[in-house]
Amino acid sequence: VGFILKILYRLGFKGASCMMYQNSRERDVLNKILKNKVPYRDIPGSGVNLSEFKFQEYPPENQPITFNYVGRLVSIKGIGEFLDCAEAIKVKYPNTRFRIFGDYDDEIYKKRVTALETKGVVEYCGVQMNMKPFISEANAAIHASYYEGMTNVVLEHGAVGRPSIGSDIPGIREGINDGVTGFTFPLKDVNALIKAVE
């Protein structure tokens, strides 16, 4: 964090009676900047409205195995890793679907997504205001993001009863009980992601 940003953090939070953190990385970075002078509490994540995101039975076995990517199409959200994984898996397991939900933050991915869509590797589904039906149709979410506060993608899929395969970083790992409710893999490790998907 830059020198000026550190000063702004110290000034901005000087009079705070308590800081609330959603993940340990944010807590540790800010506590270091604030020299542990501001009391804090860890919040056990965000939340999902369970009356809106209700458990749904798993999709029938005779349908393609469907993986959702939900997020902005930009490198820090792991779209590159998702596309690499989709290409590798689709060759070996043709009865799979890789759906992309979100808007392009980085136009560099538009050409690649369009090319892969033409080949039948991915399906670009655009921005959806109501993800519930798309989550219930899926078998799992892939969330290869590089940074998260606390990700609703994992929480919403989990609430509906769908596992998530996500980067082993703060903000994602808190939402996945590795090997039980999904799988984590080392950040940016496409081979480990592919193995987890398999």
Side-chain angles (χ1 to χ4, degrees):
V1 180
F3 176 74
I4 293 174
L5 194 53
K6 286 181 182 178
I7 291 171
L8 292 174
Y9 272 123
R10 288 178 186 148
L11 289 172
F13 296 118
K14 186 167 83 173
S17 59
C18 184
M19 297 284 290
M20 307 280 188
Y21 297 104
Q22 289 187 306
N23 72 55
S24 58
R25 180 168 64 182
E26 287 178 349
R27 178 198 65 212
D28 294 345
V29 168
L30 280 175
N31 276 345
K32 185 175 180 181
I33 291 169
L34 301 173
K35 299 182 178 182
N36 294 312
K37 291 183 179 178
V38 179
Y40 69 89
R41 288 188 182 179
D42 291 327
I43 301 171
S46 298
V48 173
N49 184 338
L50 295 178
S51 63
E52 291 286 324
F53 290 87
K54 296 179 181 178
F55 176 82
Q56 302 283 321
E57 290 299 323
Y58 218 54
E61 288 187 19
N62 62 350
Q63 293 183 6
I65 298 171
T66 302
F67 298 92
N68 287 344
Y69 169 95
V70 184
R72 294 175 291 125
L73 277 75
V74 63
S75 62
I76 62 167
K77 289 297 182 181
I79 185 62
E81 288 79 1
F82 178 86
L83 296 174
D84 291 345
C85 175
E87 282 188 282
I89 293 290
K90 194 75 175 173
V91 169
K92 196 170 177 182
Y93 305 96
N95 193 35
T96 52
R97 291 173 75 195
F98 291 85
R99 301 189 302 182
I100 300 168
F101 299 91
D103 205 357
Y104 289 93
D105 259 23
D106 193 340
E107 293 292 320
I108 195 168
Y109 291 104
K110 196 171 238 177
K111 187 176 178 182
R112 184 172 180 204
V113 168
T114 302
L116 290 175
E117 197 169 23
T118 302
K119 293 178 184 176
V121 175
V122 300
E123 300 169 36
Y124 178 64
C125 305
V127 176
Q128 300 294 328
M129 299 310 290
N130 178 13
M131 279 300 299
K132 288 177 282 192
F134 301 104
I135 294 172
S136 64
E137 292 169 359
N139 294 83
I142 296 175
H143 200 55
S145 183
Y146 300 179
Y147 172 81
E148 293 291 334
M150 181 59 69
T151 176
N152 282 341
V153 173
V154 169
L155 298 179
E156 289 171 359
H157 278 77
V160 177
R162 303 299 180 263
S164 289
I165 301 164
S167 305
D168 188 13
I169 61 167
I172 293 178
R173 76 167 66 104
E174 288 86 352
I176 299 173
N177 185 352
D178 193 37
V180 179
T181 64
F183 299 96
T184 58
F185 62 93
L187 180 65
K188 302 182 186 181
D189 188 336
V190 176
N191 290 329
L193 169 56
I194 291 167
K195 186 176 177 182
V197 168
E198 288 187 292

